[in-house]
Amino acid sequence: MNTTIALVDDHVLLRNGLADHLKEIGYTVLFQANNGVDFISKAKTFAIPELVLMDINMPEMNGYDTTLWLKKNYPDVKVLALSMYEDEIAVIRMLRNGAKGYILKDAEPAELKAALHAVQTKGFY
């Protein structure tokens, strides 16, 4: 597999745990970012990942705007929204802005793995 991935979330502890888990299941974590501004800066420095796990609620530049930026600038990058928001409005807005799927932060690791696989193989989750 060895798909490249970036994590965008303002909770460092969560990001680090996710990064460790993703490495264990065969992903290459290119970088982690605190928010959209940080992501854009790091994407220019490192490389553009194939997949992005994107939080919604972040300071400076949220997940909605960052996903829209990716859709306009790198339409081949697949975004999987990762949030604690369960409401339809948040889900629909992320999907309209270009996310290929949506998963809750309290999901089981197996569900995250399935969601990432589905986004890669089917194009959506």
Side-chain angles (χ1 to χ4, degrees):
M1 181 177 5
N2 210 19
T3 301
T4 58
I5 196 164
L7 305 174
V8 188
D9 195 302
D10 57 329
H11 296 97
V12 178
L13 192 59
L14 172 80
R15 255 193 357 243
N16 288 340
L18 266 174
D20 290 344
H21 176 68
L22 290 166
K23 289 173 190 170
E24 284 174 17
I25 60 172
Y27 289 89
T28 300
V29 178
L30 288 180
F31 61 87
Q32 300 179 35
N34 287 315
N35 56 52
V37 173
D38 190 29
F39 171 81
I40 291 167
S41 171
K42 287 181 176 175
K44 291 175 182 172
T45 305
F46 293 93
I48 301 299
E50 294 165 83
L51 265 167
V52 177
L53 262 176
M54 182 78 68
D55 187 21
I56 293 176
N57 189 21
M58 299 177 288
E60 292 187 69
M61 187 175 182
N62 64 33
Y64 299 120
D65 295 340
T66 309
T67 300
L68 196 57
W69 181 88
L70 271 167
K71 182 180 172 182
K72 288 179 181 173
N73 293 279
Y74 298 96
D76 292 338
V77 174
K78 293 177 174 84
V79 174
L80 178 63
L82 178 69
S83 181
M84 53 191 184
Y85 295 135
E86 292 186 59
D87 64 285
E88 281 180 35
I89 294 166
V91 175
I92 292 166
R93 186 171 172 198
M94 278 302 283
L95 295 173
R96 281 190 179 144
N97 285 15
K100 301 298 182 192
Y102 197 98
I103 188 168
L104 294 174
K105 285 185 177 179
D106 65 356
E108 292 293 326
E111 186 181 348
L112 175 62
K113 185 177 180 180
L116 289 166
H117 182 73
V119 165
Q120 285 179 269
T121 58
K122 296 183 211 164
F124 64 91
Y125 175 77

